[in-house]
Amino acid sequence: MLAKRIIPCLDVLGSRVVKGTRFLDLQDVGDPVERAAYYDRQGADELVFLDISASVEGRNAILDVVSRTADAVFIPFTVGGGIDSVQFIGKLLQNGADKVSINTAALKNPDLIKAGADHFGSQCIVVAIDARRRKAERSSSSCWEVYSHGGRYPAGRDVIEWAVQVQESGGGEILLTSMDSDGTLSGYDLELLSAVAGAVSIPVIASGGAGKLEHLAEALTVGRAHAVLAASILHFGAYTIADIKQYLKRRGLPVRMPPAPA
Amino acid sequence: MNSKIVIVDSGSANLRSIEKALQKVGAETAVTDNQSVIAQAKGIIFPGVGAFEQAMTILKNKDLPIILRESIDAGIPFLGICLGLQLLFTGSEERKQADGSFAQGLDVLAGQVKRFPPGLPVPHVGWNQVLPRRGHPLFAGIPSGTYFYFTHSYFVEPQEEKVTLSVTDYNNCFTSAVAEKNLMGVQFHPEKSGPAGLRLLNNFLNIVKDPSLLKGEG
């Protein structure tokens, strides 16, 4: 059976992993390759590097991080942050990334999804969607708006409509972040997850809101997510990946248990 | 003097990971699209990601189909990975031709490449269990049910059942590895499958060093 994936997300600034709260109070937490190897040993199923530097220097640094990671870590990893051209996607893949995650550039230019998928295959094109719940007006049904630029600007689009277009354009996976839940540790927006997962047939990765183990299980069952991105819950030391997987296994979810130490 | 494993440069992007993983298990490697280097190989890895038809076009432009077929016929241990496995087959429905026929593959194994049926999440992405149907040196020391990393929308359907070396359950069982004599192929990515993947690549290296391990494989 296809296992549910646990995916640690590492924020990379220059050539270092940092952690902070919503881009503030950034602390250096180490070398990306060492952190990647650490999570690999713990049994992470994949890794995501989010390049938060968004500068030319940052771009060169992330290429170096990618190639050093690919030399040492033999699980899939995705790179996101400021990716806006087929050329740069190609560079990241050549340096050893398995997938790229596109967000703002895909909203500006949906053809980038198609061009990326045509060149490199859908399997390596992840589209990240930042979603915020709209205030209910007359309608009683829920809806969510897409935000761009790291959640700064409303994109004027409905999340479900955009998710379907992402799939039709050749996106291989959707990384879905609930801006309302992100950082709250109070659980995922399960209604959002389930609505998107029901609207597309490509896998949905849940992000934003996990504070306890039960939240992860809910995202993978009620929310119908294929995978969960784990940031705060891991970085702040509350749980290890092994804790998470043992819990999910007890809940009857299929997970790949970490290999026994040699 | 030349015990190199040649990784065929089929124009796809993920060659670096495969090379690093092989080096990790102690293989000498060369990434090449040079016919004479391929002809000298003691073992061949044939990777690929992306679109079937585009990959065939690149192979043809590089004049590689003939040398690949000759190496397979000569008994050189050969491992196709992901699209590299699919390209070994007769054809793929990935890009139907104007007349309704399938895109043509290398046709060293009889069978077709098919898309997962509607209703299933596609691509099939993530870690899934590999269930070998028989003992084979490629899976030496790897228990049945071990997880490997997959990412694909199409799967192979060999014409002859005995070509299937392992199956994987994704709603229905599909062929996740094939073997016929010196020819092997896996749908998953051993270079991205952690310790289990490295073990499989190490097993391939052992086969390259001692092809008699394949004795009895028909």
Side-chain angles (χ1 to χ4, degrees), chain A:
Chain A
M1 243 172 103
L2 186 62
K4 300 292 187 183
R5 289 172 279 158
I6 309 298
I7 308 176
C9 179
L10 303 169
D11 287 345
V12 179
L13 181 65
S15 57
R16 304 291 292 174
V17 178
V18 294
K19 72 177 177 186
T21 315
R22 292 179 163 271
F23 300 99
L24 300 171
D25 302 326
L26 295 177
Q27 298 166 42
D28 185 307
V29 291
D31 174 62
V33 182
E34 280 171 22
R35 295 301 292 177
Y38 167 76
Y39 285 127
D40 177 19
R41 282 195 303 274
Q42 280 201 354
D45 296 308
E46 291 184 33
L47 297 165
V48 169
F49 287 122
L50 187 62
D51 177 14
I52 62 170
S53 45
S55 63
V56 174
E57 299 77 36
R59 288 197 148 195
N60 292 330
I62 198 75
L63 287 174
D64 176 58
V65 166
V66 165
S67 62
R68 288 192 297 123
T69 303
D71 291 355
V73 177
F74 299 101
I75 57 173
F77 65 98
T78 302
V79 180
I83 294 166
D84 59 2
S85 69
V86 168
Q87 290 72 21
F88 193 55
I89 295 171
K91 268 192 188 169
L92 287 164
L93 298 177
Q94 273 155 24
N95 277 270
D98 298 283
K99 314 180 198 183
V100 295
S101 169
I102 317 172
N103 190 337
T104 302
L107 284 162
K108 280 191 197 155
N109 172 23
D111 287 344
L112 180 61
I113 303 173
K114 187 173 176 351
D118 284 349
H119 271 82
F120 309 111
S122 288
Q123 83 290 332
C124 65
I125 306 296
V126 179
V127 177
I129 302 179
D130 292 335
R132 175 174 277 172
R133 204 172 261 273
R134 282 182 201 268
K135 291 252 164 33
E137 287 169 18
R138 269 167 300 177
S139 163
S140 60
S141 64
S142 303
C143 60
W144 298 265
E145 182 167 10
V146 181
Y147 276 67
S148 70
H149 297 85
R152 281 194 278 284
Y153 306 116
R157 301 194 66 158
D158 177 67
V159 167
I160 305 296
E161 177 264 333
W162 174 231
V164 170
Q165 191 187 340
V166 162
Q167 168 172 291
E168 283 171 357
S169 304
E173 290 177 89
I174 289 173
L175 171 56
L176 182 62
T177 302
S178 161
M179 293 170 59
D180 305 289
S181 307
D182 198 25
T184 64
L185 307 183
S186 62
Y188 295 89
D189 183 340
L190 297 175
E191 198 185 0
L192 166 68
L193 277 175
S194 172
V196 174
V200 297
S201 63
I202 56 179
V204 174
I205 304 163
S207 161
K212 49 185 189 178
L213 296 176
E214 194 183 340
H215 296 150
L216 302 170
E218 285 170 355
L220 297 167
T221 52
V222 182
R224 296 190 274 172
H226 281 233
V228 286
L229 197 73
S232 309
I233 198 169
L234 287 176
H235 301 331
F236 295 102
Y239 299 102
T240 64
I241 290 168
D243 294 335
I244 294 172
K245 289 196 166 178
Q246 270 152 17
Y247 172 81
L248 295 175
K249 194 178 177 191
R250 280 201 305 277
R251 292 279 305 257
L253 288 161
V255 287
R256 179 185 71 112
M257 293 311 288

Side-chain angles (χ1 to χ4, degrees), chain B residues 2 6 34-42 44 67 70-71 76:
Chain B
N2 178 356
V6 162
N34 180 304
Q35 294 181 38
S36 56
V37 176
I38 296 172
Q40 302 276 313
K42 295 286 185 268
I44 295 175
I67 186 72
E70 283 175 359
S71 301
I76 305 297

Side-chain angles (χ1 to χ4, degrees), chain B residues 122-139:
Chain B
V122 172
H124 171 233
V125 182
W127 296 78
N128 205 335
Q129 291 172 294
V130 170
L131 309 165
R133 282 202 162 155
R134 52 184 157 97
H136 190 283
L138 192 62
F139 282 106

